[in-house]
Amino acid sequence: MAAILLAAALSVLLNTAEAFRYYAENNANIECPISEAKPDLDIEKFMGLWYIMEYQYPKEMGLADLSCLSFKFSEDPKGIMGNFSFRFPPTHGHFYHIPTLSEVVADGQDGLWLTMFKGVNLLTAIVDTDYDNWAVFVQCMQEGGKNRFLSTRIMSHQPSLAPEHALLAKETIKAGDMEGDYKYKIDQENC
């Protein structure tokens, strides 16, 4: 019985690691599209639970199918705590929670954050948000002394996003030239 439990635990750990291997294999070699974050971002209003509705990548990713992805942001004395949560395997798996700590890059740029995750430096930008419904979140990673485009995310405060808000998010992404060619919708239905 102990061997079965050990094998099951090992399988879950390996599958979880597999779900996040894209941080180590980002070789899209596309310059980071972040030129600025939302001017005068009100961090306090931005905090809270955000559901990830869509990921966009500059190249096709071998992602494991994930569901119920979200971030819960809160202010911490050391910076901004982002509790990244997901269900794996999707629809019937366990929920995993991965805390990340970000620092605001500079005064007056509250929407630009530096995050260290699994030994990788990530530049995060809250490009735009209406605080109540939608947000566009872009991340780049440092590789070889340069910032390379990692992903764009459309986020919502609810498990679904009204068409008019989805349109605003997509227009923001296109206007900022932050669109990834490969789009992955995230299932939030059975969370």
Side-chain angles (χ1 to χ4, degrees):
M1 181 68 170
I4 293 172
L5 289 175
L6 180 61
L10 187 57
S11 173
V12 166
L13 286 173
L14 291 174
N15 285 333
T16 302
E18 183 74 8
F20 290 99
R21 70 183 182 273
Y22 57 84
Y23 283 109
E25 296 178 5
N26 181 31
N27 57 3
N29 204 24
I30 295 174
E31 190 173 320
C32 181
I34 298 171
S35 58
E36 65 181 1
K38 178 175 178 60
D40 302 317
L41 177 76
D42 185 334
I43 289 180
E44 199 171 301
K45 282 176 68 175
F46 185 76
M47 297 294 103
L49 180 61
W50 287 93
Y51 296 90
I52 300 171
M53 306 309 295
E54 181 179 279
Y55 266 99
Q56 296 184 10
Y57 289 97
K59 68 173 202 148
E60 189 170 14
M61 302 302 282
L63 290 177
D65 190 19
L66 298 173
S67 65
C68 305
L69 276 72
S70 65
F71 269 108
K72 185 172 185 181
F73 295 107
S74 60
E75 291 185 83
D76 183 273
K78 295 180 182 176
I80 298 165
M81 180 61 68
N83 188 18
F84 178 61
S85 300
F86 62 97
R87 179 187 281 171
F88 188 78
T91 65
H92 63 277
H94 297 282
F95 280 92
Y96 295 89
H97 308 282
I98 301 171
T100 61
L101 186 63
S102 301
E103 296 177 16
V104 173
V105 172
D107 288 339
Q109 287 290 324
D110 289 345
L112 275 179
W113 307 342
L114 187 60
T115 307
M116 176 68 85
F117 181 73
K118 294 179 81 171
V120 176
N121 285 323
L122 301 171
L123 178 63
T124 302
I126 307 303
V127 177
D128 204 359
T129 182
D130 70 353
Y131 299 104
D132 295 321
N133 301 292
W134 65 275
V136 173
F137 182 97
V138 176
Q139 279 191 320
C140 297
M141 64 185 288
Q142 243 179 20
E143 284 184 326
K146 297 180 180 178
N147 284 321
R148 299 290 179 205
F149 181 37
L150 179 63
S151 67
T152 297
R153 296 173 201 153
I154 297 174
M155 302 192 308
S156 170
H157 260 316
Q158 303 298 322
S160 62
L161 189 59
E164 63 272 18
H165 297 131
L167 181 61
L168 285 170
K170 289 177 182 185
E171 286 176 351
T172 298
I173 292 167
K174 284 185 181 185
D177 201 23
M178 298 169 284
E179 188 170 22
D181 291 335
Y182 298 91
K183 296 168 179 64
Y184 301 89
K185 300 271 188 216
I186 304 300
D187 177 18
Q188 299 287 0
E189 288 296 314
N190 300 305
C191 300

